[in-house]
Amino acid sequence: MVNILHIDSSPRAERSHSRELSKEFVSGWKAEHPEDAIAYRDLGHHPVPHVDEPWIAASFSPPETHTPELTEAIRISNELVDEFLAADRYVFGVPMYNFNIPSTFKAYIDQIVRPNRTFAIDPQGLRGLVEGKKAVIITSRGNDFRATSPYAAYDFQEPYLRAIFGFIGLTDIQFINANSLTEGDDARTQSLSEARAAIQDAIAQW
């Protein structure tokens, strides 16, 4: 049995393309692998807190030294990290906002990138602790940000996600990018059709 963590980050509901596509991936996977366990977290409708000063103090100090205030400050982060590490694979639905990710997803990333939990600092430097796992990241974008597009240089979404997840050791990542969603009906229909085909291929190979 494989444990999958499915996360959506769009504040939209039925109008969200990233939600629709991530749901299609998970539903398709579940149809092929009914024995697998899927946990779901909706960051768009139930955001997690941003880090604050007590969180930083708790994150960079030994748990046995924590006051009740610091214990509470890091509690949600501990829950999120435990959930993240319990999964073998991840499915993320992430719309592009202002060439990058929504603040809801950034707040989540800040909560789970933790010293001695998801990365280590040792004499050799920084080392990711999240190893042997896979992720599919399904994005929705208003414009065309493919390598051949003049907008390609503005894509800070995929490079950032590859960098931050790679930093904690998660390097086996497949991106399915639905581009051109606000460039007219024909472009949107074609892009969504291509994304759905990529989802089916990913399910078969994942």
Side-chain angles (χ1 to χ4, degrees), residues 48-129:
V48 300
H50 292 279
V51 303
D52 54 17
E53 187 169 3
W55 185 99
I56 295 170
S59 179
F60 287 90
S61 61
E64 61 271 16
T65 68
H66 289 175
T67 63
E69 178 191 22
L70 294 187
T71 298
E72 178 59 23
I74 206 71
R75 177 182 59 81
I76 292 176
S77 179
N78 284 334
E79 293 173 1
L80 294 172
V81 171
D82 289 344
E83 177 184 68
F84 186 80
L85 294 177
D88 305 299
R89 300 183 183 185
Y90 310 95
V91 179
F92 300 121
V94 188
M96 176 183 277
Y97 283 6
N98 297 320
F99 311 124
N100 210 312
I101 62 176
S103 63
T104 52
F105 200 44
K106 180 60 165 63
Y108 174 79
I109 289 172
D110 289 343
Q111 291 283 358
I112 65 166
V113 176
R114 290 262 310 275
N116 304 315
R117 296 297 311 274
T118 54
F119 73 93
I121 305 172
D122 55 34
Q124 285 71 46
L126 299 169
R127 176 170 52 88
L129 300 177

Side-chain angles (χ1 to χ4, degrees), residues 14 41 51 57 70 80 85 96 107 117 123 131 135 167 176 181 200 204:
E14 66 276 359
R41 182 170 291 276
V51 303
L70 294 187
L80 294 172
L85 294 177
M96 176 183 277
R117 296 297 311 274
E131 299 177 328
F167 174 76
I176 299 174
L181 298 180
Q200 294 306 312

Side-chain angles (χ1 to χ4, degrees), residues 96 99 143-156 183:
M96 176 183 277
F99 311 124
N143 295 101
D144 183 0
F145 291 88
R146 289 174 293 186
T148 55
S149 166
Y151 290 103
Y154 292 94
D155 179 7
F156 298 98
E183 295 184 340

